[in-house]
Amino acid sequence: NAGVTQTPKFQVLKTGQSMTLQCAQDMNHEYMSWYRQDPGMGLRLIHYSVGAGITDQGEVPNGYNVSRSTTEDFPLRLLSAAPSQTSVYFCASSYSWNTEAFFGQGTRLTVV
Amino acid sequence: GQQVMQIPQYQHVQEGEDFTTYCNSSTTLSNIQWYKQRPGGHPVFLIQLVKSGEVKKQKRLTFQFGEAKKNSSLHITATQTTDVGTYFCAGRGAAGNKLTFGGGTRVLVKP
């Protein structure tokens, strides 16, 4: 099992560009989520999904879109990148809402 | 909304000493999890506590969930250089779906 796979690992965007961060898991987990990590602020929940076709907003959803068309994939879309979105992004999955979360390796995004 | 706070933000520890990091929630939690993130790495699950007053041990790590299920602590004895990293608590509220992370305690060990 590969676990949770995120691509790309690094990305530099210009302000206003759009892009999609990919996240895939091969553990048949129902629950998936996206976090951003900024220095001194821990991990903040952007969006999450409790199963295919179901998504909901977290603490900091503005500027981001998600969809969950399959159990395996949970992409995060930046619609129009801003410097404030410079961060490390982590995707996580878990078997259910109250079990341990498995994190991907992260995507380090810089918006200039 | 639910907030989870951790103190201290930084912990400098002499190798061999003990230390404790604390986690406090603004609301009652259904459960709390602890994660460790090594420098440059991703968070890795350590443990989950569910019951009021629950205490769990993993070798030199002792985790406790408060009686009111609003706070938790992680105590590490005889700190080693392998304990370097950031320790996060993460709590789920009554609604259950959202896992809210604290700001983390970054642990630096002096040999």
Side-chain angles (χ1 to χ4, degrees):
Chain A
N1 286 353
V4 180
T5 303
Q6 288 184 238
T7 55
K9 287 186 169 53
F10 301 93
Q11 183 70 51
V12 179
L13 287 179
K14 293 182 178 179
T15 297
Q17 286 185 316
S18 62
M19 80 159 295
T20 300
L21 308 186
Q22 301 291 344
C23 176
Q25 52 91 10
D26 61 359
M27 297 173 282
N28 202 31
H29 285 173
E30 289 296 325
Y31 192 97
M32 296 186 75
S33 51
W34 276 102
Y35 292 88
R36 60 177 288 173
Q37 185 173 31
D38 302 295
M41 300 188 73
L43 292 99
R44 291 184 292 170
L45 183 64
I46 305 172
H47 286 286
Y48 66 98
S49 169
V50 299
I54 306 169
T55 63
D56 204 349
Q57 296 181 350
E59 303 169 66
V60 289
N62 292 342
Y64 307 96
N65 273 359
V66 292
S67 59
R68 185 95 180 271
S69 55
T70 67
T71 298
E72 294 78 20
D73 300 298
F74 191 43
L76 178 71
R77 296 183 192 83
L78 278 71
L79 309 172
S80 177
S84 60
Q85 294 179 304
T86 294
S87 188
V88 179
Y89 291 84
F90 287 101
C91 176
S93 75
S94 56
Y95 178 73
S96 72
W97 63 270
N98 63 347
T99 56
E100 66 177 284
F102 293 83
F103 283 81
Q105 300 293 320
T107 295
R108 186 173 295 272
L109 176 69
T110 302
V111 183
V112 298
Chain B
Q2 180 181 299
Q3 291 186 331
V4 176
M5 292 146 286
Q6 272 185 265
I7 55 170
Q9 189 174 356
Y10 297 95
Q11 181 79 55
H12 295 252
V13 190
Q14 192 74 41
E15 191 173 14
E17 290 184 341
D18 303 351
F19 76 90
T20 302
T21 175
Y22 299 91
C23 180
N24 293 289
S25 170
S26 59
T27 60
T28 301
L29 300 171
S30 59
N31 61 50
I32 194 158
Q33 298 176 345
W34 285 88
Y35 292 81
K36 178 182 178 181
Q37 184 179 24
R38 295 186 185 275
H42 60 280
V44 175
F45 176 82
L46 294 176
I47 209 159
Q48 176 168 279
L49 305 171
V50 179
K51 298 177 184 176
S52 170
E54 189 170 13
V55 178
K56 287 188 177 180
K57 292 188 177 183
Q58 287 182 350
K59 297 182 181 178
R60 296 178 295 102
L61 278 61
T62 301
F63 303 85
Q64 188 166 5
F65 202 7
E67 294 291 339
K69 300 184 73 174
K70 294 183 70 173
N71 57 74
S72 180
S73 64
L74 160 58
H75 181 77
I76 300 182
T77 58
T79 305
Q80 300 176 357
T81 55
T82 53
D83 295 324
V84 165
T86 302
Y87 294 82
F88 292 99
C89 64
R92 292 189 191 277
N97 281 340
K98 297 182 184 180
L99 187 63
T100 302
F101 279 77
T105 293
R106 184 176 175 186
V107 176
L108 303 168
V109 180
K110 295 177 280 188

